[in-house]
């Protein structure tokens, strides 16, 4: 497979392996002789994540229990797998009840310091593999120019801070044009949920200044967690770089996916068009290729939801069904997906969900408030929508995506919040499976395909 140059990461996808720490960065460089459409002198790579003290096993058991036990907010935010718990680099500025971390240098938990030379341009590659947290990153005294999103070039734009949701990646350019005799805070905080987690902090440290010299200033303050206008303003500033592939002008099939939080015999679930995803024990690819119809439930999930459903209120009937969630898509057709957010179980609550598609990029055609309705497609951006593989839905809103089903296989499309996927928040797109060649033996090893050859 041809890999598109850019900033990516990999992770385990079985159970909640990603929450347990099974992930890493994956950077694809430009081919020899090819150049990025922007210049930089050096780069840093920041993979962001969140961390709980409770084991992932205990988290999974809690989520699958009746009564339901939610995982709560993370104990730490991590930068390249490193973070602090009961001390903070910036304790004296942020919260007097926590103590200031004392670093001697080279501690395992110490975050990586970004050591820079003055008057250079640095590329920061930033990716988020958090289990839950939506994040905001800011660098004291420095603007960032966004140039890449999920491996695709975007129209450069300058920001003071950047929102990043689980599953996403960005590259930003940073000019080291400030006083080189000072160090500057790099701060990461939680967005979209009432944060109970300390900021993650590290330093942008100019070569003339030792990293041990902490700034005397307050680290950048993360925008209020529920200031969604701030998040929307950032998200809606992202456009494809001129010359990027444009979307087809029309679609063959439109699938509207209602996102709801539900109950099932007292268990708490998430469901899409009232189907809560349960992954079968036989992997889909082999069972579909070999026509093993009893390997998973063959019921086709609906392409839409009941038009009388009031997305602004808790559902009158909170029950959901469960299923294998497989949408069969005709190969090489254009599919529009409208992700429709709604009120969760509790009154006046609707959360952010970053949706991630395997096997494809999609164009993000637009966002809207309330319920998607006929005529809203007139607001779609068909000229320069960004190509991405992850896009958020905001509380009580919708997000419209378009993709061409040109990659034979079986692909998950799911909320990238790990506990939400575990609770059923995803669907499956199957396309052109007869065109898939040899399936690796390991991918047939379990369930009904256990002794299949192909
Ligand atoms: O899926 C979730 O469950 C909890 C809460 O809704 C019920 O405890 C929460 O904050 C989620 O995101």
């Amino acid at each position: 497979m041809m890999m598109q140059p850019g900033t990516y990461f990999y992770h385990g996808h079985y159970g909640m392996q990603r929450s347990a720490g099974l992930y890493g960065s994956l950077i694809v460089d430009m081919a020899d002789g090819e150049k990025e459409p922007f210049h930089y002198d050096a780069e840093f790579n920041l993979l962001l994540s969140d961390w709980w003290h409770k084991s992932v096993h205990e988290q999974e058991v809690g989520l699958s229990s009746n009564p339901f036990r939610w995982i709560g907010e993370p104990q730490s935010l991590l930068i390249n797998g490193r973070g602090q718990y009961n001390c903070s680099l910036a304790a004296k500025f942020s919260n007097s009840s926590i103590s200031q971390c004392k670093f001697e240098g080279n501690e395992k938990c110490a975050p990586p310091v970004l050591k820079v030379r003055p008057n250079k341009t640095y590329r920061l590659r930033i990716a988020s593999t958090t289990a839950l947290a939506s994040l905001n990153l800011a660098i004291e005294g420095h603007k960032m120019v966004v140039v890449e999103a999920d491996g695709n070039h975007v129209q450069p734009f300058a920001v003071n801070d950047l929102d990043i949701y689980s599953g996403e990646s960005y590259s930003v350019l940073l000019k080291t044009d400030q006083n080189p005799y000072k160090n500057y805070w790099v701060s990461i905080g939680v967005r979209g949920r009432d944060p109970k987690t300390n900021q993650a902090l590290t330093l942008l440290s100019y070569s003339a200044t030792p990293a041990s010299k902490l700034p005397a200033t307050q680290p950048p303050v993360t925008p209020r967690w529920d200031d969604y206008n701030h998040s929307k303003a950032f998200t809606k500033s992202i456009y494809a770089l001129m010359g990027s592939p444009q979307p087809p002008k029309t679609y063959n099939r439109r699938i509207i996916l209602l996102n709801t939080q539900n109950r099932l015999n007292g268990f708490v679930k998430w469901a899409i068009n009232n189907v809560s995803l349960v992954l079968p024990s036989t992997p889909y690819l082999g069972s579909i290729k070999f026509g093993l119809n009893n390997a998973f439930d063959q019921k086709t999930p609906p392409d839409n939801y009941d038009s009388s459903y009031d997305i602004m209120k808790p559902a009158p009937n909170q029950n959901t069904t469960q299923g294998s969630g497989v949408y069969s898509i005709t190969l090489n057709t254009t599919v529009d997906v409208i992700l429709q957010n709604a009120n969760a179980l509790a009154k006046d609550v609707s959360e952010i969900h970053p949706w991630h598609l395997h096997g494809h990029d999609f164009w993000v055609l637009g966002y809207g408030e309330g319920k998607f309705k006929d005529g809203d497609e007139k607001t779609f951006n068909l000229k320069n929508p960004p190509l991405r593989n992850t896009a958020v839905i905001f509380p009580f809103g919708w997000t419209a995506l378009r993709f061409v089903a040109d990659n034979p296989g079986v692909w998950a499309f799911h909320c990238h919040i790990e506990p939400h996927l575990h609770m059923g928040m995803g669907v499956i797109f199957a396309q052109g499976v007869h065109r898939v060649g040899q399936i690796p033996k390991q991918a047939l090893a379990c369930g009904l395909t256990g002794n299949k050859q192909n």
Side-chain angles (χ1 to χ4, degrees):
M1 191 174 125
M2 262 282 287
M3 278 295 290
Q4 197 168 306
T7 307
Y8 306 94
F9 61 94
Y10 63 88
H11 62 83
H13 220 302
Y14 181 78
M16 287 174 50
Q17 284 175 335
R18 177 164 56 92
S19 294
L22 184 46
Y23 53 74
S25 289
L26 180 64
I27 307 298
V28 182
D29 286 326
M30 299 295 281
D32 285 347
E34 285 179 20
K35 279 210 168 102
E36 297 278 12
F38 45 83
H39 162 83
Y40 55 99
D41 300 298
E43 66 179 66
F44 291 101
N45 184 39
L46 305 178
L47 182 58
L48 312 179
S49 56
D50 44 8
W51 186 252
W52 279 255
H53 292 177
K54 203 184 260 183
S55 79
V56 166
H57 176 69
E58 214 179 322
Q59 293 180 39
E60 282 188 39
V61 169
L63 294 171
S64 315
S65 292
N66 183 7
F68 176 70
R69 292 193 302 277
W70 175 241
I71 62 168
E73 300 301 312
Q75 272 70 58
S76 301
L77 301 178
L78 309 181
I79 307 174
N80 293 353
R82 295 172 175 207
Q84 307 89 42
Y85 170 54
N86 52 9
C87 67
S88 160
L89 266 184
K92 63 176 171 168
F93 304 108
S94 53
N95 178 349
S96 53
S97 68
I98 44 179
S99 54
Q100 169 99 48
C101 301
K102 291 197 176 47
F103 288 121
E104 320 242 298
N106 299 322
E107 286 89 350
K108 275 209 162 153
C109 66
V113 169
L114 313 184
K115 200 73 197 165
V116 293
R117 288 190 290 148
N119 299 316
K120 299 280 176 204
T121 301
Y122 289 85
R123 176 182 192 167
L124 303 190
R125 298 178 182 267
I126 307 160
S128 172
T129 179
T130 54
L132 177 65
S134 302
L135 300 174
N136 181 273
L137 179 146
I139 304 176
E140 187 185 7
H142 294 73
K143 276 198 184 301
M144 300 175 277
V145 175
V146 182
V147 291
E148 182 211 346
D150 301 352
N152 293 288
H153 294 135
V154 302
Q155 198 67 53
F157 65 105
V159 291
N160 291 318
D161 63 86
L162 159 140
D163 278 342
I164 180 162
Y165 302 94
S166 180
E168 294 186 331
S169 66
Y170 290 101
S171 281
V172 299
L173 301 180
L174 173 91
K175 278 208 166 64
T176 47
D177 54 5
Q178 297 299 306
N179 178 354
Y181 299 103
K182 278 179 63 185
N183 288 328
Y184 300 85
W185 291 115
V186 178
S187 118
I188 296 159
V190 172
R191 308 278 290 125
R193 305 182 65 92
D194 194 355
K196 298 189 171 65
T197 314
N198 289 332
Q199 280 169 297
L201 289 167
T202 187
L203 293 176
L204 179 76
S205 172
Y206 280 68
S207 47
T209 312
S212 56
K213 187 176 166 191
L214 291 187
T217 39
Q218 165 111 15
V221 177
T222 306
R224 237 192 95 97
W225 69 273
D226 56 355
D227 180 358
Y228 293 112
N229 286 335
H230 188 93
S231 318
K232 288 175 192 174
F234 171 75
T235 305
K236 293 178 185 177
S237 315
I238 304 170
Y239 297 105
L241 186 65
M242 229 191 327
S244 304
Q246 287 193 317
K249 294 292 172 235
T250 56
Y251 61 90
N252 302 106
R253 178 172 175 186
R254 177 191 280 167
I255 303 176
I256 304 186
L257 299 176
L258 176 70
N259 290 232
T260 53
Q261 194 184 26
N262 299 80
R263 290 186 198 283
L264 186 81
N265 307 325
F267 296 91
V268 180
K269 300 286 174 193
W270 290 89
I272 304 307
N273 291 353
N274 217 37
V275 180
S276 184
L277 179 66
V278 189
L279 295 171
S281 52
T282 307
Y284 291 103
L285 189 60
S287 38
I288 296 177
K289 184 165 176 190
F290 302 120
L292 305 178
N293 289 341
N294 48 3
F296 61 90
D297 103 72
Q298 302 289 311
K299 201 159 160 266
T300 305
D303 273 19
N304 207 338
Y305 65 97
D306 179 1
S307 61
S308 66
Y309 189 92
D310 185 350
I311 65 136
M312 302 303 290
K313 295 207 180 101
N317 175 358
Q318 300 188 323
N319 291 337
T320 180
T321 64
Q322 282 181 305
S324 304
V326 179
Y327 288 87
S328 287
I329 310 279
T330 309
L331 193 62
N332 295 324
T333 56
T334 301
V335 180
D336 274 14
V337 176
I338 315 290
L339 288 165
Q340 178 67 59
N341 210 342
N343 197 105
L345 283 173
K347 202 164 166 286
D348 298 326
V349 174
S350 182
E351 299 181 2
I352 282 189
H353 302 282
W355 275 80
H356 171 68
L357 177 60
H358 291 207
H360 307 74
D361 282 337
F362 48 66
W363 289 274
V364 187
L365 301 185
Y367 300 87
E369 306 291 327
K371 209 181 210 180
F372 180 83
K373 51 187 186 321
D374 274 349
D376 280 341
E377 64 271 15
K378 293 202 188 77
T379 66
F380 285 177
N381 172 12
L382 298 178
K383 208 180 98 218
N384 58 357
L387 265 170
R388 306 202 64 159
N389 58 52
T390 304
V392 281
I393 48 174
F394 292 109
F396 300 108
W398 55 263
T399 299
L401 315 174
R402 180 168 290 180
F403 72 95
V404 179
D406 56 1
N407 192 1
V410 181
W411 305 108
F413 179 49
H414 63 89
C415 174
H416 212 268
I417 292 177
E418 189 92 312
H420 289 179
L421 172 58
H422 193 75
M423 293 159 73
M425 200 167 203
V427 298
I428 306 294
F429 293 144
Q431 48 185 273
V433 174
H434 59 284
R435 296 267 302 269
V436 174
Q438 196 97 15
I439 301 176
K441 257 210 326 272
Q442 293 80 352
L444 296 174
C446 23
L448 299 182
T449 52
N451 39 31
K452 278 267 172 206
Q453 305 281 338
N454 68 135

